[in-house]
Amino acid sequence: MTFSTKANALWEYANPKKFLATTERVLPFFWASAAACLAVGLIWGFFFTPDDYRQGATVKIIYLHVPAALLAINAWFMMLLTSLIWLIRRHHVSALAARAAAPVGVVMTLIALATGAIWGQPMWGTWWAWDPRLTSFLILFLFYLGYIALWEAIENPDTAADLTSVLCLVGSVFAILSRYAVNFWNQGLHQGASVMRIEAVTGGDTQEKVSNVFFYPLLVCIVGFVLLFVALVLYRTGTEIRARRIRALLARERVGA
Amino acid sequence: MTLTVTDLSIARGGIPVLQGLGFDLRPGTALVVRGPNGIGKTTLLRTLAGLQPPLSGHITGAEDTIAYAGHSDGIKPTLTVTENLTFWASVFGTAEIRPALEAFELNDLATRHAGNLSAGQKRRLGLSRLLVTGRPIWVLDEPTVSLDVSAVAMFATAVRAHLSQGGCALIATHIDLGLDAAVLDVGPFRAKPRPVTDFDGDFL
Amino acid sequence: MTLTVTDLSIARGGIPVLQGLGFDLRPGTALVVRGPNGIGKTTLLRTLAGLQPPLSGHITGAEDTIAYAGHSDGIKPTLTVTENLTFWASVFGTAEIRPALEAFELNDLATRHAGNLSAGQKRRLGLSRLLVTGRPIWVLDEPTVSLDVSAVAMFATAVRAHLSQGGCALIATHIDLGLDAAVLDVGPFRAKPRPVTDFDGDFL
Amino acid sequence: MIALLLRDLKLAFRAGGGFGLGLAFFLIVTVMVPFSVGPQSALLSTIAPGVLWLGALLACLLSLDRLLALDWEDGSLDLLATAPLPLEAVVTIKALAHWITTGLPLVLAAPVLGVLLNLPVAGFSWLVVSLLVGTPALSVIGTFGAALTVGLKRGGLLLSLLVLPLYVPTLIFGAEAARRGAVGMDTGTPMLMLAGITAATVALLPFASAAVLRVNLR
Amino acid sequence: MIALLLRDLKLAFRAGGGFGLGLAFFLIVTVMVPFSVGPQSALLSTIAPGVLWLGALLACLLSLDRLLALDWEDGSLDLLATAPLPLEAVVTIKALAHWITTGLPLVLAAPVLGVLLNLPVAGFSWLVVSLLVGTPALSVIGTFGAALTVGLKRGGLLLSLLVLPLYVPTLIFGAEAARRGAVGMDTGTPMLMLAGITAATVALLPFASAAVLRVNLR
Amino acid sequence: MMPELGKYADTVLSAYVASIALLGLLVVVSLWRGRRVRAEMKEIEERAARNG
Ligand code: HEM
Ligand SMILES: Nc1ncnc2c1ncn2[C@@H]1O[C@H](COP(=O)(O)OP(=O)(O)OP(=O)(O)O)[C@@H](O)[C@H]1O
Ligand SMILES: Nc1ncnc2c1ncn2[C@@H]1O[C@H](COP(=O)(O)OP(=O)(O)OP(=O)(O)O)[C@@H](O)[C@H]1O
Ligand SMILES: [Mg+2]
Ligand SMILES: [Mg+2]
């Protein structure tokens, strides 16, 4: 009983107007706390952490790289979830939230890729290696691009929501499949193409204390990125809702004319 | 096989175009749908054919009984006239294409590639497809486009024969077909805009 | 700007369809081309427009004076109505699209993407293109397809205005346009098959 | 259903040979590789299995955009959707017709092109087997992409963008199997995965394709 | 003329980005190469210049079939042919629009993709220069192919078949220049030939394209 | 105030600059489009209300 009322209360936010009103109220909080966490985390990480014994100052990149990588993946999961909600319960806000999240996901993927590439140059001696993790990220990037391109290409919003949702579903399955395929592929002929595995360079297991030194600011940064993500998605969803409303109003004018 | 439509509202591109439509189409009768350009005739016919869902309202008797012919004919230019017809005949599980060829005087063109037909000849081929569907309800969108006078007469004859066998037909057209049919003017059913304040309603 | 056609023979797909055609089209007059489906009207108009060469015979006065409108409209679905018209206006070097929009009551649709128009609205846009060409001779192939009664009247008005400004028009159609125009029935000009023994002739 | 398959095959042949052209593209891509990477035979024979798989994939991909688009443009899809034939069957048949006109000829031609690229002798049989097992998945996945983009003008490139990441697992396992075969390694795992992918996509994806096609038709 | 160019560019953007998608295909082809030939970076860096040239060529090729086909289908070409604009100008503008929406983005993206394939540092500038000089030829030759096949249903693959052999010289000299650049050799001769091909095709081929287009229209 | 980044100064700084630029761009674009859409909706709503 309690569960169902709670669930119903949650679904109420699928009402566009209510969603807008609520986000209007909570957004300032999200913006502010995201900014605060990011500022604290990044300044802490950048100015007040020591260099790693093997990686030197480059370890500071971790404060951007890891949160971005985390969010890049989780943004896709969020899109998968909201797509499912759209397909099953047909709440428009849900579909629009997926649409709003995709560009944020792309930027996160890009940041992870860019910082990784910049990091790889001194660490591995190359900008890019076909390491399984990097490769599956690249594939994720392609999935994002396709998803966004499909949204942009279709005019009717409901059609677009349906098609992109199915694409997100099918794409998720294939993305996971790709991950396994890529893992298999790069162990295949060439074992350990990159000597420095990602796990090896954090030094997490050997140097507990150093790890903590890096860990806390990293945690703050992750929280900051998550808050920023939430703020951006809520804000952008509001924008998408209004854009849809504009479409409907224009159509209405046309019918009236 | 009566097609019954009650309180139907339909939308195109997410925008309501017609609302409150209701009519019966009984065996042996034809109904001509009229209305100015852009009112929503094509949308109505596509909805009846099951190609798009209605916004609200009910359609009964449309399941697997409708043969639809829209603005485009579904004709393959690289197949001959016979091959085109035979294909549709076997999709609909009917065997005989001879009557269809005869009804639209296509015998002389039977071995021609459909791509080499003139506009009117192509249209005649498209219409002859209706005869091989074996479906009782014909839903036709401007069927006589490009047809000359004698071909329009052929079409009228085909429709009359279909009606006399207990079929029925719903035809959207701007011209006079010479058929003895009731007329449904959809003009008065134009969808009224929702009030501006109906924020959520805009999401249908 | 008189269009003169003498002893014209034309072919489609290598097969002669009409022969011995001749007529004059003087400024201020319209000529309606009639004939059964498949006789060769479209072929004739395409020949006059310079899209295909005649088999034999002469056409004078057609160079750079003809605005042709065929079965397809040349409308880009992803451009708006205004953008479509503006494009053609600048290709033909005319600046003003307002009169064209007004003549076919397209003002309300001006900002719509052409892909979202109904069949008749699209056709109206296609016809309004004629007004921005600034060409004196209109060569039109079944221009009123899909148009409702009021749109056909708009078209007739536009043609009349064009004629009164010294233009002329050649229109192939199967229906009555309500225009005061001479009629050219191309039926009698159907090409006679060559004797079977004329081996070389088959290579034209 | 058979009528639809026969019609699609007939259309492919009539239109100047769906057969010949898919093949020709495969041939030309393969021929272009030496022009672009240089003619050293050791290098070519190393990359041969991969290039042949990639070529087959691209040849498949290029023919996808006409898979449903032609039927959409001339209204046939509307009519098929109202015909007494479930849309799932329609897309399955379409995929099958695509495979017969594109995938199968590629499989048959691959050994010949292998010669051009100095494919090691041991590699031929595995190349053919992996292509035979893998190409049906390419056709089915491609049909899904075609169904997604069918209503869109200029869908061709969008189609590629959507379909290529979906092709990644098939390509990886297929090329890996061919590559391992060529150097005499065990091909068990990749072949198994490849067969699994094909079986799963053939069994499940037509439902997704039919669903999106239905959305696109309305 | 400018109106036509602007319209074509506008259409390319409207249709979901003629830009983005040509690029995306290039990106994806490049990404697929390691999946098919394996991830060894030494091997990849050897074949990188060739693969990038081939990828650019295929990306160009893929977008060709819509170059004239859309205008043909909706009757615009008929109307353009009767407009006061020589058909030679029309095909030149079409080729230019194609280059701006496809060739140019490819040139700009090539260095980024070079990173993915471990292209040697010395190779970047030559890759970009050779693509910049060579892609206009690809667009012009492609326009010729498109004009040849415009009336045909399913012309897409036939188009590839006709155009690919015509692309061979451009590809050979372009890839050779990029390859030599990557290993620090002299690139004079291939660059010269490449420039020559581009100049000659740009100057002469539009006449041929206009001629075949005129034939196809009647 | 600047910490000693040693030989990796370029690397670390460029990573920070690139990431922050990308994030900033995303935020700015989102806000800009949000503002525009909001204003446009308001305008259209008012126009619709006026015209009944
Ligand atoms: C373009 C290249 C790169 C990409 C796409 C990439 C991607 C990723 C991904 C997906 C994660 C996982 C995040 C998570 O699950 O928590 C990650 C974590 C990490 N990456 Fe990278 N990475 C790249 C390059 C690098 C380089 C060059 C280094 C350092 C030498 C590096 C160091 C790390 C570290 C330390 C972590 C966190 C520890 C862990 O989760 O194991 N990455 N990266
Ligand atoms: N994709 C779309 N998005 C928005 N509106 C559309 C779309 N397609 C069509 N419309 C509009 O929907 C309305 C109904 O179109 P429909 O094709 O049903 O009209 P119709 O009655 O068949 O007209 P005609 O007699 O001209 O064929 C038209 O006003 C049209 O402009
Ligand atoms: N490619 C072709 N090859 C051979 N014959 C063709 C070809 N295209 C058309 N035809 C034939 O040429 C004749 C003339 O066609 P045309 O389109 O000019 O007729 P039309 O008078 O415009 O007819 P409609 O009123 O039906 O439009 C027709 O009989 C047609 O079947
Ligand atoms: Mg209509
Ligand atoms: Mg005609």
Side-chain angles (χ1 to χ4, degrees), chain A residues 254, chain B residues 12-13 15 17 36-43 71 142 174, chain C residues 112 115-121 146:
Chain A
R254 213 160 70 207
Chain B
R12 175 83 177 261
I15 297 149
V17 290
N37 286 141
I39 187 77
K41 298 181 295 300
T42 300
T43 314
H71 287 303
E142 304 196 44
H174 296 295
Chain C
R112 288 275 279 280
N116 293 351
L117 299 178
S118 78
Q121 290 164 343
S146 301

Short mmCIF file of all heavy atoms in Angstrom, two decimals, chain A residues 254, chain B residues 12-13 15 17 36-43 71 142 174, chain C residues 112 115-121 146, ligand 2:
data_model
loop_
_atom_site.label_atom_id
_atom_site.label_comp_id
_atom_site.label_asym_id
_atom_site.label_seq_id
_atom_site.Cartn_x
_atom_site.Cartn_y
_atom_site.Cartn_z
N ARG A 254 -1.98 27.28 -36.10
CA ARG A 254 -2.19 26.93 -37.49
C ARG A 254 -3.58 26.36 -37.69
O ARG A 254 -4.26 26.70 -38.65
CB ARG A 254 -1.15 25.88 -37.84
CG ARG A 254 -0.69 25.97 -39.22
CD ARG A 254 0.63 25.26 -39.31
NE ARG A 254 0.43 23.85 -39.16
CZ ARG A 254 1.35 23.02 -38.69
NH1 ARG A 254 2.50 23.51 -38.27
NH2 ARG A 254 1.14 21.75 -38.62
N ARG B 12 -2.43 14.34 -37.27
CA ARG B 12 -1.35 14.13 -38.24
C ARG B 12 -0.14 14.89 -37.75
O ARG B 12 -0.25 16.07 -37.42
CB ARG B 12 -1.79 14.68 -39.61
CG ARG B 12 -0.74 14.63 -40.67
CD ARG B 12 -0.71 13.26 -41.31
NE ARG B 12 0.26 13.21 -42.38
CZ ARG B 12 -0.04 13.33 -43.67
NH1 ARG B 12 -1.27 13.48 -44.04
NH2 ARG B 12 0.92 13.26 -44.57
N GLY B 13 0.98 14.21 -37.68
CA GLY B 13 2.19 14.85 -37.17
C GLY B 13 2.00 15.36 -35.75
O GLY B 13 2.56 16.37 -35.37
N ILE B 15 -0.63 16.61 -34.47
CA ILE B 15 -1.57 17.73 -34.38
C ILE B 15 -2.97 17.26 -34.77
O ILE B 15 -3.15 16.71 -35.86
CB ILE B 15 -1.13 18.87 -35.32
CG1 ILE B 15 0.22 19.39 -34.87
CG2 ILE B 15 -2.15 19.98 -35.35
CD1 ILE B 15 1.06 19.89 -35.99
N VAL B 17 -6.42 16.91 -36.38
CA VAL B 17 -6.97 17.54 -37.58
C VAL B 17 -8.48 17.40 -37.67
O VAL B 17 -9.17 18.32 -38.08
CB VAL B 17 -6.30 17.03 -38.88
CG1 VAL B 17 -4.88 17.52 -38.98
CG2 VAL B 17 -6.33 15.52 -38.97
N PRO B 36 -12.07 20.33 -48.23
CA PRO B 36 -11.02 21.10 -48.91
C PRO B 36 -9.64 20.47 -48.70
O PRO B 36 -9.46 19.62 -47.84
CB PRO B 36 -11.10 22.47 -48.24
CG PRO B 36 -11.79 22.24 -46.95
CD PRO B 36 -12.72 21.10 -47.16
N ASN B 37 -8.68 20.93 -49.50
CA ASN B 37 -7.30 20.45 -49.36
C ASN B 37 -6.80 20.67 -47.94
O ASN B 37 -7.00 21.74 -47.37
CB ASN B 37 -6.36 21.22 -50.31
CG ASN B 37 -6.52 20.80 -51.75
OD1 ASN B 37 -6.47 21.62 -52.63
ND2 ASN B 37 -6.71 19.53 -51.99
N GLY B 38 -6.16 19.65 -47.41
CA GLY B 38 -5.52 19.81 -46.11
C GLY B 38 -6.43 19.64 -44.93
O GLY B 38 -5.99 19.84 -43.80
N ILE B 39 -7.68 19.24 -45.15
CA ILE B 39 -8.59 19.11 -44.01
C ILE B 39 -8.29 17.85 -43.21
O ILE B 39 -8.52 17.78 -42.00
CB ILE B 39 -10.06 19.12 -44.50
CG1 ILE B 39 -11.05 19.15 -43.34
CG2 ILE B 39 -10.37 17.90 -45.34
CD1 ILE B 39 -11.17 20.49 -42.72
N GLY B 40 -7.77 16.81 -43.88
CA GLY B 40 -7.44 15.58 -43.16
C GLY B 40 -8.07 14.32 -43.74
O GLY B 40 -8.22 13.33 -43.04
N LYS B 41 -8.41 14.34 -45.01
CA LYS B 41 -9.01 13.16 -45.63
C LYS B 41 -8.02 12.00 -45.67
O LYS B 41 -8.34 10.88 -45.26
CB LYS B 41 -9.47 13.49 -47.04
CG LYS B 41 -10.53 14.57 -47.13
CD LYS B 41 -10.95 14.83 -48.56
CE LYS B 41 -9.83 15.40 -49.42
NZ LYS B 41 -9.29 16.68 -48.94
N THR B 42 -6.83 12.29 -46.14
CA THR B 42 -5.82 11.24 -46.21
C THR B 42 -5.56 10.66 -44.83
O THR B 42 -5.48 9.44 -44.66
CB THR B 42 -4.53 11.82 -46.80
OG1 THR B 42 -4.81 12.32 -48.11
CG2 THR B 42 -3.44 10.77 -46.88
N THR B 43 -5.47 11.53 -43.86
CA THR B 43 -5.24 11.07 -42.49
C THR B 43 -6.36 10.16 -42.03
O THR B 43 -6.12 9.11 -41.42
CB THR B 43 -5.13 12.29 -41.57
OG1 THR B 43 -4.28 13.26 -42.17
CG2 THR B 43 -4.58 11.91 -40.22
N HIS B 71 -2.13 7.64 -52.11
CA HIS B 71 -1.63 8.48 -53.20
C HIS B 71 -0.62 7.73 -54.05
O HIS B 71 -0.54 7.93 -55.25
CB HIS B 71 -0.98 9.75 -52.62
CG HIS B 71 -1.97 10.72 -52.07
ND1 HIS B 71 -2.99 11.24 -52.82
CD2 HIS B 71 -2.10 11.28 -50.86
CE1 HIS B 71 -3.71 12.07 -52.09
NE2 HIS B 71 -3.18 12.11 -50.88
N GLU B 142 -8.31 9.56 -53.46
CA GLU B 142 -8.22 10.17 -54.79
C GLU B 142 -7.86 9.16 -55.87
O GLU B 142 -6.82 9.25 -56.51
CB GLU B 142 -7.18 11.30 -54.78
CG GLU B 142 -7.52 12.32 -53.71
CD GLU B 142 -6.78 13.62 -53.91
OE1 GLU B 142 -6.71 14.08 -55.05
OE2 GLU B 142 -6.29 14.17 -52.91
N HIS B 174 -11.99 14.79 -55.06
CA HIS B 174 -12.43 16.17 -55.30
C HIS B 174 -13.32 16.27 -56.52
O HIS B 174 -13.92 17.31 -56.77
CB HIS B 174 -11.22 17.08 -55.51
CG HIS B 174 -10.35 17.19 -54.31
ND1 HIS B 174 -10.79 17.77 -53.15
CD2 HIS B 174 -9.09 16.80 -54.08
CE1 HIS B 174 -9.82 17.73 -52.25
NE2 HIS B 174 -8.78 17.13 -52.79
N ARG C 112 5.78 26.65 -43.19
CA ARG C 112 5.70 25.20 -43.01
C ARG C 112 6.75 24.49 -43.84
O ARG C 112 7.07 24.90 -44.95
CB ARG C 112 4.34 24.69 -43.48
CG ARG C 112 3.22 25.06 -42.58
CD ARG C 112 3.07 24.08 -41.46
NE ARG C 112 2.36 22.89 -41.89
CZ ARG C 112 1.05 22.81 -42.01
NH1 ARG C 112 0.29 23.84 -41.78
NH2 ARG C 112 0.47 21.70 -42.35
N GLY C 115 7.36 19.19 -46.67
CA GLY C 115 7.05 17.78 -46.46
C GLY C 115 5.81 17.58 -45.61
O GLY C 115 5.20 16.51 -45.64
N ASN C 116 5.41 18.60 -44.86
CA ASN C 116 4.24 18.47 -44.00
C ASN C 116 2.98 19.02 -44.63
O ASN C 116 2.01 19.30 -43.94
CB ASN C 116 4.47 19.19 -42.68
CG ASN C 116 5.54 18.51 -41.88
OD1 ASN C 116 5.99 17.43 -42.24
ND2 ASN C 116 5.96 19.13 -40.81
N LEU C 117 3.00 19.19 -45.93
CA LEU C 117 1.79 19.68 -46.58
C LEU C 117 0.96 18.50 -47.07
O LEU C 117 1.47 17.42 -47.31
CB LEU C 117 2.17 20.56 -47.78
CG LEU C 117 2.99 21.80 -47.45
CD1 LEU C 117 3.32 22.55 -48.74
CD2 LEU C 117 2.24 22.71 -46.50
N SER C 118 -0.34 18.72 -47.21
CA SER C 118 -1.18 17.67 -47.80
C SER C 118 -0.97 17.68 -49.31
O SER C 118 -0.33 18.57 -49.86
CB SER C 118 -2.64 17.91 -47.47
OG SER C 118 -3.16 18.92 -48.30
N ALA C 119 -1.50 16.64 -49.96
CA ALA C 119 -1.26 16.50 -51.40
C ALA C 119 -1.65 17.77 -52.17
O ALA C 119 -0.90 18.26 -53.01
CB ALA C 119 -2.04 15.29 -51.92
N GLY C 120 -2.82 18.32 -51.85
CA GLY C 120 -3.29 19.49 -52.57
C GLY C 120 -2.48 20.74 -52.26
O GLY C 120 -2.20 21.56 -53.13
N GLN C 121 -2.08 20.87 -50.99
CA GLN C 121 -1.27 22.03 -50.61
C GLN C 121 0.07 21.99 -51.34
O GLN C 121 0.58 23.01 -51.82
CB GLN C 121 -1.06 22.03 -49.10
CG GLN C 121 -2.31 22.35 -48.31
CD GLN C 121 -2.21 21.98 -46.85
OE1 GLN C 121 -1.35 21.22 -46.44
NE2 GLN C 121 -3.12 22.52 -46.04
N SER C 146 -5.26 16.50 -57.52
CA SER C 146 -5.37 16.65 -56.06
C SER C 146 -5.94 17.98 -55.60
O SER C 146 -6.08 18.19 -54.40
CB SER C 146 -4.02 16.48 -55.34
OG SER C 146 -3.46 15.25 -55.59
N1 LIG G 2 4.00 15.56 -40.88
C1 LIG G 2 3.07 16.52 -40.66
N2 LIG G 2 3.18 17.34 -39.60
C2 LIG G 2 2.28 18.28 -39.37
N3 LIG G 2 1.21 18.50 -40.13
C3 LIG G 2 1.03 17.73 -41.20
C4 LIG G 2 1.96 16.69 -41.52
N4 LIG G 2 1.53 16.10 -42.65
C5 LIG G 2 0.39 16.73 -43.00
N5 LIG G 2 0.10 17.71 -42.15
C6 LIG G 2 -1.10 18.58 -42.19
O1 LIG G 2 -2.20 17.79 -41.81
C7 LIG G 2 -3.36 18.22 -42.51
C8 LIG G 2 -4.10 17.03 -43.06
O2 LIG G 2 -3.43 16.48 -44.16
P1 LIG G 2 -4.10 15.41 -45.14
O3 LIG G 2 -3.03 14.91 -46.05
O4 LIG G 2 -4.83 14.41 -44.33
O5 LIG G 2 -5.13 16.32 -45.94
P2 LIG G 2 -6.10 15.91 -47.11
O6 LIG G 2 -7.47 16.19 -46.62
O7 LIG G 2 -5.79 14.55 -47.59
O8 LIG G 2 -5.73 17.00 -48.21
P3 LIG G 2 -5.61 16.84 -49.79
O9 LIG G 2 -6.98 16.97 -50.34
O10 LIG G 2 -4.77 18.05 -50.17
O11 LIG G 2 -4.93 15.56 -50.08
C9 LIG G 2 -2.88 19.20 -43.57
O12 LIG G 2 -3.29 20.48 -43.18
C10 LIG G 2 -1.40 19.07 -43.57
O13 LIG G 2 -0.82 20.34 -43.80
#
